[in-house]
Amino acid sequence: MPGVIGPADYSQEPPRNSCLKINSKEPFNAEPPRSALISSYVTPVELFYKRNHGPIPVVDDIERYRVSIFGLIKNPKELSMADIRKLPKYNVTATLQCAGNRRTAMSNVRKVKGVGWDVAAIGNAVWGGARLADVLELVGIPKLAATTPSGGKHVEFTSVDKCKEENGGPYKASIPLKQATSPEADVLLAYEMNGEGFFMQRDYKMFPPSVNWENINWASRRPLMDFPVQCAICSLEDVDVVKKGKITVAGYAVAGGGRGIERVDVSIDGGKTWLEVARCQKPDVPYVADDICSDKWAWVFFKAEVDIPRKAEIVAKAVDVAANVQPEDVAVIWNLRGVLNTSWHRVKVRVSHSNL
């Protein structure tokens, strides 16, 4: 593709932040420390989790790069970056999460297949670009269209990445045309992240615990297009030793579909009793779920100061505005791909009485 090269090997990989925890080197998959997530509402680019399926594409000449739009449409086109930048620009603050976030905890129940993520395969950024609905109008697809005159119902995105999963071919994904053409959905063809400037047929599907690699039928399930309500504690590690006195329990909560977080509950006794804790997004701006001033696609931070006994299991769970709740037991939602672990997040803490 003019302007962008899809390397066949890993000899031209970009530099990465040294604090990232590497879960896979080739392809490069890594996540930041838990504590880094709650240090900033907008996750810095260098600390955003890295999820790759092949070598990183190399931008050779962005002015020569073209976005090709073709398929079941009457007017296929190739658009330059200049063409796309002529369209109205929108900024959307949104949280991006890997479907395998918290997969390691699911592996503790029974082995699953996939990159072993902790709780930090998630990040929040300000994405800038043209609305996909505006881009599709350039090829004759009107807003709020659910199908094209030729029968097209999905928009498929094809990259220049060369991936093992696709036998050396490109990485692909798709979304329904109805979603792509809806201005309310805030779907962007993004060209900025924080101001810087379908591989779904046989993956990213959730099956019941009874399905294994011998009886799996990929065609029986739809791909994951959204994610359930989720939260995780980021101020503490899985097994932490703390000093006597009050400790901070803080983390993130997020729900799919633009649903706000109605409540976050924290327990210091393994889930026997609960305390509703404070939520926030931007500093000095009160967070109200589904309020026009809140970022509907973005995560929410929670925080509480608590006293704990000598030993404690701290648990966090969230509830969204549709009253969706996280399941208590990870075994209930176990699946062979280890995706969408939204069970209660638990960390064990021990108090040290040493002054050293």
Side-chain angles (χ1 to χ4, degrees):
M1 181 175 291
V4 178
I5 301 170
D9 58 39
Y10 296 92
S11 62
Q12 301 182 68
E13 294 290 281
R16 276 96 176 196
N17 192 292
S18 60
C19 80
L20 294 175
K21 173 190 173 186
I22 300 175
N23 297 324
S24 168
K25 191 173 181 180
E26 293 182 357
F28 189 82
N29 291 285
E31 60 188 303
R34 293 181 181 184
S35 58
L37 290 183
I38 53 175
S39 65
S40 173
Y41 175 60
V42 174
T43 310
V45 173
E46 66 272 14
L47 293 180
F48 216 91
Y49 75 97
K50 315 300 179 187
R51 179 61 176 115
N52 298 295
H53 291 268
I56 303 297
V58 177
V59 178
D60 185 47
D61 183 356
I62 195 63
E63 299 307 321
R64 294 176 57 230
Y65 177 72
R66 296 292 184 270
V67 175
S68 300
I69 306 177
F70 58 94
L72 296 176
I73 56 176
K74 292 182 178 179
N75 305 305
K77 283 189 177 183
E78 285 195 348
L79 302 176
S80 67
M81 287 303 301
D83 295 327
I84 295 170
R85 288 179 185 274
K86 288 178 183 177
L87 296 170
K89 179 186 175 184
Y90 295 88
N91 288 313
V92 176
T93 302
T95 298
L96 195 65
Q97 178 178 210
C98 177
N101 192 31
R102 300 182 59 200
R103 179 178 278 139
T104 51
M106 195 170 279
S107 294
N108 292 333
V109 175
R110 195 173 2 142
K111 187 176 180 180
V112 298
K113 183 178 179 181
V115 177
W117 298 103
D118 187 40
V119 305
I122 187 171
N124 192 51
V126 180
W127 310 93
R131 276 185 175 157
L132 185 56
D134 293 342
V135 175
L136 293 177
E137 278 194 320
L138 298 178
V139 294
I141 302 176
K143 287 184 172 64
L144 302 177
T147 183
T148 68
S150 303
K153 296 181 179 180
H154 274 248
V155 180
E156 182 182 64
F157 308 92
T158 304
S159 75
V160 298
D161 302 42
K162 298 183 185 302
C163 309
K164 282 185 178 180
E165 298 97 328
E166 291 290 336
N167 298 315
Y171 187 86
K172 300 177 182 179
S174 72
I175 63 173
L177 183 64
K178 186 176 181 180
Q179 181 181 11
T181 58
S182 170
E184 293 295 318
D186 283 334
V187 180
L188 297 185
L189 192 58
Y191 47 75
E192 286 183 358
M193 178 181 180
N194 294 350
E196 299 176 24
F198 173 177
F199 178 68
M200 288 187 168
Q201 289 302 315
R202 296 180 64 83
D203 205 347
Y204 300 127
K205 296 182 177 183
M206 191 171 185
F207 292 85
S210 58
V211 173
N212 56 44
W213 293 107
E214 283 68 47
N215 63 15
I216 190 169
N217 177 6
W218 289 103
S220 67
R221 290 292 185 275
R222 296 169 60 86
L224 302 175
M225 302 301 297
D226 219 327
F227 50 82
V229 63
Q230 165 80 288
C231 80
I233 299 167
C234 297
S235 57
L236 300 163
E237 296 298 323
D238 283 329
V239 179
D240 227 329
V241 178
V242 299
K243 293 182 180 180
K244 186 178 181 181
K246 287 188 178 293
I247 67 167
T248 299
V249 179
Y252 64 78
V254 65
R259 295 181 296 274
I261 298 297
E262 182 66 22
R263 198 177 78 240
V264 177
D265 300 325
V266 167
S267 170
I268 63 172
D269 54 17
K272 296 177 183 177
T273 60
W274 297 91
L275 169 70
E276 183 177 352
V277 299
R279 298 155 297 139
C280 71
Q281 278 188 328
K282 292 158 282 191
D284 303 320
V285 179
Y287 172 76
V288 179
D290 280 0
D291 188 87
I292 192 172
C293 295
S294 300
D295 292 328
K296 64 183 292 188
W297 307 109
W299 62 12
V300 171
F301 287 163
F302 65 87
K303 185 176 181 180
E305 303 292 327
V306 299
D307 284 309
I308 60 170
R310 185 168 173 268
K311 290 183 179 179
E313 183 180 52
I314 302 177
V315 188
K317 62 182 178 71
V319 182
D320 70 17
V321 293
N324 295 308
V325 298
Q326 296 177 244
E328 176 181 353
D329 189 356
V330 65
V332 174
I333 54 174
W334 184 94
N335 59 90
L336 78 174
R337 281 295 284 116
V339 296
L340 295 188
N341 178 10
T342 57
S343 60
W344 294 0
H345 189 222
R346 304 170 183 267
V347 296
K348 293 183 178 180
V349 175
R350 179 169 62 85
V351 174
S352 171
H353 294 279
S354 171
N355 292 324
L356 298 179

